[in-house]
Amino acid sequence: MSQTVSIVCPRGAAPIVRRAAELLKREISARSGVIPTAVRGAEVQIELAVHGALGNEGFRIEDGVSGEIRVVGNDPRGVLYGVGKLLRGARFGPGHFEPGAWRGESVPEKP
């Protein structure tokens, strides 16, 4: 049986954030066969958000209170870079996606 994965993007998100969500969905689907949805309550739930308190193009990956994984960017590019970091550490298998385990903050010295 395939695992369930959801990717939640904020309403009215910037085009770069929406593209980051599509990139994440496409990579998970291509590498595992799991088709992510936008419905909350999946086994793996990833939320994308922009919160301007990290520094230009910075991002944070954290575990949420309900078990979700939150990728929070200082700006839309930060979200994109955070999604890249999450994917680089991920493991994929038939019907299975395991997000990267790295949690923390990353802010480039120079944007």
Side-chain angles (χ1 to χ4, degrees), residues 4-10 20-21 24-25 28 36-49 60-64 67-72 79 82-83 86-87 90 92 97-100 103:
T4 58
V5 175
S6 68
I7 300 168
V8 178
C9 196
L24 185 56
K25 182 178 179 178
I28 292 170
T37 67
V39 179
R40 294 182 186 271
E43 293 167 290
V44 176
Q45 185 169 297
I46 301 167
E47 294 183 5
L48 307 181
R60 177 176 57 243
I61 299 176
E62 62 189 12
D63 293 320
E68 72 276 7
I69 298 166
R70 299 187 72 231
V71 178
V72 182
V79 174
V83 164
L86 186 72
L87 282 171
F92 301 88
F97 165 70
E98 183 179 328
R103 300 294 182 268

Short mmCIF file of all heavy atoms in Angstrom, two decimals, residues 4-10 20-21 24-25 28 36-49 60-64 67-72 79 82-83 86-87 90 92 97-100 103:
data_model
loop_
_atom_site.label_atom_id
_atom_site.label_comp_id
_atom_site.label_asym_id
_atom_site.label_seq_id
_atom_site.Cartn_x
_atom_site.Cartn_y
_atom_site.Cartn_z
N THR A 4 0.63 8.07 2.20
CA THR A 4 -0.03 9.31 1.82
C THR A 4 0.85 10.49 2.20
O THR A 4 1.46 10.51 3.26
CB THR A 4 -1.42 9.45 2.48
OG1 THR A 4 -1.28 9.39 3.89
CG2 THR A 4 -2.35 8.35 1.99
N VAL A 5 0.92 11.46 1.29
CA VAL A 5 1.74 12.65 1.49
C VAL A 5 0.90 13.86 1.10
O VAL A 5 0.21 13.83 0.07
CB VAL A 5 3.02 12.61 0.63
CG1 VAL A 5 3.81 13.90 0.75
CG2 VAL A 5 3.89 11.41 0.99
N SER A 6 0.96 14.91 1.91
CA SER A 6 0.27 16.15 1.52
C SER A 6 1.26 17.30 1.57
O SER A 6 2.18 17.32 2.37
CB SER A 6 -0.93 16.44 2.42
OG SER A 6 -0.51 16.76 3.73
N ILE A 7 1.04 18.23 0.67
CA ILE A 7 1.86 19.45 0.60
C ILE A 7 0.88 20.61 0.68
O ILE A 7 0.02 20.77 -0.18
CB ILE A 7 2.67 19.51 -0.71
CG1 ILE A 7 3.60 18.30 -0.79
CG2 ILE A 7 3.43 20.82 -0.80
CD1 ILE A 7 4.24 18.11 -2.14
N VAL A 8 1.02 21.41 1.72
CA VAL A 8 0.11 22.52 1.95
C VAL A 8 0.85 23.83 1.70
O VAL A 8 1.88 24.10 2.30
CB VAL A 8 -0.45 22.49 3.39
CG1 VAL A 8 -1.37 23.66 3.64
CG2 VAL A 8 -1.17 21.16 3.65
N CYS A 9 0.30 24.60 0.79
CA CYS A 9 0.88 25.88 0.38
C CYS A 9 -0.07 26.99 0.87
O CYS A 9 -1.28 26.83 0.78
CB CYS A 9 0.97 25.88 -1.14
SG CYS A 9 2.02 27.11 -1.85
N PRO A 10 0.44 28.10 1.39
CA PRO A 10 -0.46 29.15 1.88
C PRO A 10 -1.30 29.76 0.76
O PRO A 10 -0.86 29.84 -0.39
CB PRO A 10 0.49 30.18 2.49
CG PRO A 10 1.82 29.90 1.94
CD PRO A 10 1.85 28.46 1.52
N ALA A 20 7.70 25.97 -5.94
CA ALA A 20 8.41 25.10 -4.99
C ALA A 20 7.52 23.93 -4.58
O ALA A 20 7.98 22.79 -4.50
CB ALA A 20 8.86 25.89 -3.76
N ALA A 21 6.23 24.20 -4.35
CA ALA A 21 5.29 23.12 -4.01
C ALA A 21 5.15 22.15 -5.17
O ALA A 21 5.11 20.92 -4.96
CB ALA A 21 3.93 23.72 -3.63
N LEU A 24 8.31 19.99 -5.40
CA LEU A 24 8.28 18.97 -4.35
C LEU A 24 7.34 17.83 -4.73
O LEU A 24 7.70 16.66 -4.66
CB LEU A 24 7.86 19.63 -3.04
CG LEU A 24 7.87 18.81 -1.77
CD1 LEU A 24 9.24 18.19 -1.51
CD2 LEU A 24 7.44 19.68 -0.59
N LYS A 25 6.16 18.18 -5.20
CA LYS A 25 5.18 17.19 -5.62
C LYS A 25 5.72 16.33 -6.77
O LYS A 25 5.63 15.11 -6.75
CB LYS A 25 3.88 17.88 -6.05
CG LYS A 25 2.79 16.95 -6.47
CD LYS A 25 1.53 17.73 -6.84
CE LYS A 25 0.43 16.81 -7.28
NZ LYS A 25 -0.81 17.52 -7.60
N ILE A 28 8.64 13.94 -5.55
CA ILE A 28 8.13 12.84 -4.73
C ILE A 28 7.44 11.82 -5.62
O ILE A 28 7.66 10.62 -5.51
CB ILE A 28 7.18 13.36 -3.63
CG1 ILE A 28 7.97 14.17 -2.59
CG2 ILE A 28 6.43 12.19 -2.96
CD1 ILE A 28 7.10 14.91 -1.60
N PRO A 36 1.39 13.22 -4.07
CA PRO A 36 0.99 14.11 -2.98
C PRO A 36 -0.30 14.86 -3.30
O PRO A 36 -0.59 15.17 -4.45
CB PRO A 36 2.16 15.08 -2.86
CG PRO A 36 3.31 14.37 -3.48
CD PRO A 36 2.71 13.56 -4.59
N THR A 37 -1.05 15.15 -2.25
CA THR A 37 -2.28 15.93 -2.37
C THR A 37 -2.13 17.20 -1.54
O THR A 37 -1.10 17.41 -0.90
CB THR A 37 -3.50 15.14 -1.85
OG1 THR A 37 -3.36 14.97 -0.44
CG2 THR A 37 -3.62 13.79 -2.53
N ALA A 38 -3.16 18.01 -1.49
CA ALA A 38 -3.17 19.20 -0.66
C ALA A 38 -4.08 18.99 0.56
O ALA A 38 -4.39 19.94 1.27
CB ALA A 38 -3.64 20.40 -1.47
N VAL A 39 -4.49 17.77 0.80
CA VAL A 39 -5.42 17.46 1.88
C VAL A 39 -4.64 17.18 3.16
O VAL A 39 -3.74 16.33 3.18
CB VAL A 39 -6.30 16.24 1.51
CG1 VAL A 39 -7.24 15.90 2.64
CG2 VAL A 39 -7.05 16.51 0.23
N ARG A 40 -4.99 17.88 4.22
CA ARG A 40 -4.33 17.66 5.51
C ARG A 40 -4.69 16.27 6.06
O ARG A 40 -5.67 15.68 5.67
CB ARG A 40 -4.74 18.72 6.51
CG ARG A 40 -4.26 20.09 6.13
CD ARG A 40 -4.64 21.12 7.18
NE ARG A 40 -4.29 22.45 6.76
CZ ARG A 40 -3.12 23.03 6.98
NH1 ARG A 40 -2.19 22.38 7.62
NH2 ARG A 40 -2.90 24.25 6.56
N GLY A 41 -3.84 15.78 6.95
CA GLY A 41 -4.11 14.50 7.59
C GLY A 41 -3.40 13.32 6.97
O GLY A 41 -3.65 12.18 7.31
N ALA A 42 -2.50 13.57 6.04
CA ALA A 42 -1.73 12.49 5.41
C ALA A 42 -0.68 11.98 6.39
O ALA A 42 -0.37 12.61 7.40
CB ALA A 42 -1.06 13.00 4.14
N GLU A 43 -0.09 10.84 6.07
CA GLU A 43 0.96 10.27 6.91
C GLU A 43 2.17 11.19 6.98
O GLU A 43 2.81 11.31 8.02
CB GLU A 43 1.38 8.90 6.36
CG GLU A 43 0.29 7.86 6.49
CD GLU A 43 0.59 6.62 5.69
OE1 GLU A 43 0.55 6.71 4.44
OE2 GLU A 43 0.89 5.58 6.31
N VAL A 44 2.51 11.80 5.85
CA VAL A 44 3.58 12.80 5.81
C VAL A 44 2.94 14.09 5.33
O VAL A 44 2.39 14.15 4.24
CB VAL A 44 4.72 12.39 4.85
CG1 VAL A 44 5.77 13.49 4.77
CG2 VAL A 44 5.35 11.08 5.28
N GLN A 45 3.01 15.11 6.18
CA GLN A 45 2.41 16.39 5.82
C GLN A 45 3.49 17.46 5.82
O GLN A 45 4.19 17.62 6.81
CB GLN A 45 1.31 16.76 6.81
CG GLN A 45 0.57 18.02 6.43
CD GLN A 45 -0.66 18.22 7.28
OE1 GLN A 45 -1.58 17.40 7.23
NE2 GLN A 45 -0.69 19.27 8.06
N ILE A 46 3.62 18.16 4.71
CA ILE A 46 4.63 19.20 4.57
C ILE A 46 3.91 20.51 4.33
O ILE A 46 3.07 20.62 3.44
CB ILE A 46 5.57 18.89 3.39
CG1 ILE A 46 6.25 17.54 3.61
CG2 ILE A 46 6.60 20.01 3.22
CD1 ILE A 46 6.97 17.00 2.40
N GLU A 47 4.23 21.50 5.15
CA GLU A 47 3.64 22.83 5.02
C GLU A 47 4.70 23.82 4.60
O GLU A 47 5.80 23.83 5.15
CB GLU A 47 3.03 23.27 6.35
CG GLU A 47 1.84 22.44 6.77
CD GLU A 47 1.19 22.94 8.04
OE1 GLU A 47 1.59 24.00 8.57
OE2 GLU A 47 0.28 22.27 8.52
N LEU A 48 4.38 24.65 3.62
CA LEU A 48 5.26 25.70 3.17
C LEU A 48 4.74 27.03 3.67
O LEU A 48 3.53 27.26 3.66
CB LEU A 48 5.34 25.71 1.64
CG LEU A 48 5.69 24.39 0.95
CD1 LEU A 48 5.74 24.59 -0.56
CD2 LEU A 48 7.00 23.84 1.47
N ALA A 49 5.65 27.90 4.12
CA ALA A 49 5.22 29.20 4.64
C ALA A 49 6.32 30.22 4.44
O ALA A 49 7.50 29.88 4.32
CB ALA A 49 4.88 29.09 6.12
N ARG A 60 14.03 27.84 7.32
CA ARG A 60 14.05 26.98 8.50
C ARG A 60 13.21 25.75 8.18
O ARG A 60 12.14 25.86 7.59
CB ARG A 60 13.47 27.73 9.69
CG ARG A 60 13.39 26.91 10.96
CD ARG A 60 12.90 27.72 12.17
NE ARG A 60 11.59 28.33 11.94
CZ ARG A 60 11.35 29.64 11.92
NH1 ARG A 60 12.32 30.51 12.06
NH2 ARG A 60 10.14 30.09 11.71
N ILE A 61 13.70 24.58 8.55
CA ILE A 61 12.91 23.36 8.46
C ILE A 61 12.70 22.89 9.89
O ILE A 61 13.66 22.76 10.66
CB ILE A 61 13.62 22.27 7.62
CG1 ILE A 61 13.85 22.76 6.19
CG2 ILE A 61 12.79 20.98 7.62
CD1 ILE A 61 14.64 21.80 5.31
N GLU A 62 11.43 22.68 10.25
CA GLU A 62 11.10 22.33 11.63
C GLU A 62 9.94 21.35 11.66
O GLU A 62 9.18 21.23 10.69
CB GLU A 62 10.75 23.59 12.41
CG GLU A 62 9.53 24.31 11.86
CD GLU A 62 9.29 25.68 12.48
OE1 GLU A 62 10.18 26.20 13.20
OE2 GLU A 62 8.19 26.23 12.26
N ASP A 63 9.83 20.66 12.79
CA ASP A 63 8.68 19.79 13.02
C ASP A 63 7.59 20.61 13.68
O ASP A 63 7.85 21.36 14.63
CB ASP A 63 9.07 18.61 13.92
CG ASP A 63 10.06 17.67 13.25
OD1 ASP A 63 9.90 17.42 12.04
OD2 ASP A 63 10.98 17.19 13.92
N GLY A 64 6.38 20.50 13.17
CA GLY A 64 5.24 21.22 13.73
C GLY A 64 4.64 20.48 14.90
O GLY A 64 4.96 19.32 15.17
N GLY A 67 2.94 17.13 14.11
CA GLY A 67 3.74 16.14 13.40
C GLY A 67 4.07 16.50 11.97
O GLY A 67 4.79 15.77 11.31
N GLU A 68 3.58 17.62 11.50
CA GLU A 68 3.89 18.04 10.14
C GLU A 68 5.32 18.57 10.08
O GLU A 68 5.93 18.89 11.09
CB GLU A 68 2.91 19.10 9.65
CG GLU A 68 3.06 20.46 10.27
CD GLU A 68 2.35 20.63 11.61
OE1 GLU A 68 1.83 19.65 12.17
OE2 GLU A 68 2.33 21.77 12.11
N ILE A 69 5.84 18.64 8.87
CA ILE A 69 7.15 19.24 8.63
C ILE A 69 6.89 20.60 8.01
O ILE A 69 6.15 20.72 7.03
CB ILE A 69 7.99 18.36 7.69
CG1 ILE A 69 8.24 17.02 8.34
CG2 ILE A 69 9.30 19.06 7.33
CD1 ILE A 69 8.75 15.97 7.38
N ARG A 70 7.48 21.63 8.61
CA ARG A 70 7.28 22.99 8.11
C ARG A 70 8.55 23.50 7.45
O ARG A 70 9.63 23.43 8.04
CB ARG A 70 6.89 23.92 9.27
CG ARG A 70 5.59 23.47 9.94
CD ARG A 70 5.09 24.47 10.96
NE ARG A 70 4.59 25.63 10.25
CZ ARG A 70 4.96 26.88 10.52
NH1 ARG A 70 5.84 27.15 11.45
NH2 ARG A 70 4.46 27.87 9.82
N VAL A 71 8.41 23.98 6.21
CA VAL A 71 9.51 24.64 5.52
C VAL A 71 9.13 26.11 5.47
O VAL A 71 8.19 26.50 4.77
CB VAL A 71 9.70 24.08 4.09
CG1 VAL A 71 10.82 24.82 3.38
CG2 VAL A 71 9.98 22.58 4.13
N VAL A 72 9.85 26.91 6.27
CA VAL A 72 9.53 28.32 6.41
C VAL A 72 10.65 29.14 5.81
O VAL A 72 11.81 29.01 6.22
CB VAL A 72 9.35 28.70 7.90
CG1 VAL A 72 8.97 30.17 8.04
CG2 VAL A 72 8.32 27.80 8.57
N VAL A 79 11.87 29.73 0.74
CA VAL A 79 11.03 28.53 0.70
C VAL A 79 11.56 27.55 -0.35
O VAL A 79 11.71 26.35 -0.08
CB VAL A 79 9.54 28.87 0.41
CG1 VAL A 79 8.72 27.60 0.23
CG2 VAL A 79 8.96 29.73 1.52
N GLY A 82 14.65 25.92 0.92
CA GLY A 82 14.30 24.96 1.97
C GLY A 82 13.75 23.66 1.41
O GLY A 82 14.07 22.57 1.88
N VAL A 83 12.93 23.76 0.37
CA VAL A 83 12.41 22.57 -0.30
C VAL A 83 13.56 21.77 -0.90
O VAL A 83 13.60 20.54 -0.79
CB VAL A 83 11.36 22.95 -1.38
CG1 VAL A 83 11.09 21.81 -2.35
CG2 VAL A 83 10.07 23.41 -0.71
N LEU A 86 15.28 19.89 1.88
CA LEU A 86 14.44 18.77 2.32
C LEU A 86 14.56 17.59 1.35
O LEU A 86 14.70 16.44 1.76
CB LEU A 86 12.99 19.22 2.44
CG LEU A 86 12.02 18.21 3.03
CD1 LEU A 86 12.27 18.05 4.53
CD2 LEU A 86 10.58 18.65 2.80
N LEU A 87 14.55 17.89 0.05
CA LEU A 87 14.64 16.83 -0.96
C LEU A 87 16.03 16.18 -1.00
O LEU A 87 16.14 14.97 -1.20
CB LEU A 87 14.30 17.39 -2.35
CG LEU A 87 12.83 17.58 -2.64
CD1 LEU A 87 12.65 18.34 -3.94
CD2 LEU A 87 12.10 16.26 -2.67
N ALA A 90 16.23 13.44 1.48
CA ALA A 90 15.11 12.50 1.48
C ALA A 90 15.51 11.12 0.97
O ALA A 90 16.48 10.97 0.24
CB ALA A 90 13.96 13.06 0.63
N PHE A 92 13.74 7.69 -0.97
CA PHE A 92 12.60 7.32 -1.81
C PHE A 92 12.63 5.82 -2.06
O PHE A 92 13.69 5.23 -2.18
CB PHE A 92 12.67 8.04 -3.15
CG PHE A 92 12.69 9.54 -3.05
CD1 PHE A 92 13.88 10.24 -2.91
CD2 PHE A 92 11.51 10.25 -3.08
CE1 PHE A 92 13.90 11.62 -2.81
CE2 PHE A 92 11.51 11.64 -2.98
CZ PHE A 92 12.71 12.32 -2.85
N PHE A 97 8.03 7.67 0.71
CA PHE A 97 8.84 8.89 0.75
C PHE A 97 9.18 9.20 2.19
O PHE A 97 8.30 9.25 3.05
CB PHE A 97 8.04 10.06 0.13
CG PHE A 97 8.62 11.42 0.45
CD1 PHE A 97 9.82 11.81 -0.10
CD2 PHE A 97 7.95 12.29 1.29
CE1 PHE A 97 10.36 13.06 0.19
CE2 PHE A 97 8.46 13.55 1.57
CZ PHE A 97 9.67 13.93 1.02
N GLU A 98 10.46 9.36 2.47
CA GLU A 98 10.91 9.74 3.81
C GLU A 98 11.65 11.07 3.70
O GLU A 98 12.74 11.13 3.11
CB GLU A 98 11.84 8.67 4.38
CG GLU A 98 12.29 8.95 5.79
CD GLU A 98 13.20 7.86 6.31
OE1 GLU A 98 13.03 6.69 5.92
OE2 GLU A 98 14.09 8.19 7.11
N PRO A 99 11.06 12.15 4.24
CA PRO A 99 11.71 13.46 4.13
C PRO A 99 13.07 13.46 4.82
O PRO A 99 13.31 12.69 5.75
CB PRO A 99 10.75 14.40 4.87
CG PRO A 99 9.47 13.66 4.97
CD PRO A 99 9.81 12.21 4.96
N GLY A 100 13.94 14.35 4.37
CA GLY A 100 15.24 14.49 5.02
C GLY A 100 15.08 14.79 6.50
O GLY A 100 14.13 15.44 6.93
N ARG A 103 16.97 19.34 10.49
CA ARG A 103 16.11 20.40 11.01
C ARG A 103 17.02 21.54 11.46
O ARG A 103 18.08 21.31 12.04
CB ARG A 103 15.26 19.93 12.20
CG ARG A 103 14.33 18.76 11.88
CD ARG A 103 13.24 19.16 10.90
NE ARG A 103 12.33 18.06 10.63
CZ ARG A 103 12.45 17.19 9.64
NH1 ARG A 103 13.48 17.27 8.80
NH2 ARG A 103 11.58 16.23 9.45
#
